[in-house]
Amino acid sequence: MRTAFPIIFLFCLTAMSCEEENDAEIIIKTGRDCGWCGGSDSLTLTKVNNHYEFRNSCPEPPSKEEYKRANRTQWNELLAALDWDTFKQVNVNTCAQCADGCDTWVVIENKNETHQIRFTENSPEIDPIREFVEKLDALHEEFRPD
């Protein structure tokens, strides 16, 4: 019985570290590219850190860069809304910025796979992943300049 406890403990520890390891391999990037002084931004989210960058060739709004520790609850909610297999099946590549509009893009790196989409908020192609996109956009809004 005495030897069973360390084995059970090690098993639980290994299982938790595998979950942590899988979680750590996901990187979510999003951004918005806009025409005519709208600028472009990017937000990189990981389990540990968030990095936001806004660049604008016009004086207003000014460029901005921000680093922030990730909120574990938000990260878990975002991952819960992500269906990786469904996301990989979405293929859309708009160019609203070509006509002074805005495009949103999302890139997800999941272990050794990467998939990227580019869309407008009215793109019907994102309907299967809309819940994930809305949660991601809510996080993105926390960083955007006013």
Side-chain angles (χ1 to χ4, degrees), residues 27-34 39-45 51-54 87 92-97 102-109 114-121 123 126 129 132-133 136-137 140 144:
I27 299 171
I28 301 172
K29 299 176 185 178
T30 188
R32 188 176 291 163
D33 293 322
C34 299
S40 63
D41 70 356
S42 66
L43 174 63
T44 301
L45 303 165
H51 174 235
Y52 177 78
E53 197 169 343
F54 174 76
F87 180 79
V92 58
N93 187 15
T94 61
C95 192
Q97 82 173 53
C102 293
D103 292 300
T104 299
W105 54 268
V106 177
V107 177
I108 299 179
E109 298 171 16
T114 300
H115 185 68
Q116 177 174 346
I117 59 175
R118 185 179 191 88
F119 57 92
T120 65
E121 63 183 50
S123 295
I126 67 165
I129 58 166
F132 168 74
V133 168
L136 183 58
D137 191 51
H140 198 173
R144 288 192 177 113

Side-chain angles (χ1 to χ4, degrees), residues 55-139:
R55 297 290 175 241
N56 196 359
S57 58
C58 297
E60 292 297 323
S63 295
K64 170 184 174 180
E65 187 167 12
E66 183 177 349
Y67 291 89
K68 203 165 130 178
R69 291 210 39 86
N71 177 310
R72 186 60 185 235
T73 302
Q74 288 177 325
W75 176 253
N76 289 337
E77 288 174 0
L78 186 62
L79 289 185
L82 173 63
D83 181 329
W84 173 243
D85 292 328
T86 302
F87 180 79
K88 288 189 310 183
Q89 293 174 7
V90 174
N91 290 303
V92 58
N93 187 15
T94 61
C95 192
Q97 82 173 53
C98 299
D100 293 333
C102 293
D103 292 300
T104 299
W105 54 268
V106 177
V107 177
I108 299 179
E109 298 171 16
N110 187 359
K111 299 175 187 147
N112 297 325
E113 293 183 89
T114 300
H115 185 68
Q116 177 174 346
I117 59 175
R118 185 179 191 88
F119 57 92
T120 65
E121 63 183 50
N122 297 324
S123 295
E125 295 90 347
I126 67 165
D127 286 345
I129 58 166
R130 192 164 297 276
E131 179 186 355
F132 168 74
V133 168
E134 288 173 354
K135 285 188 181 298
L136 183 58
D137 191 51
L139 291 173

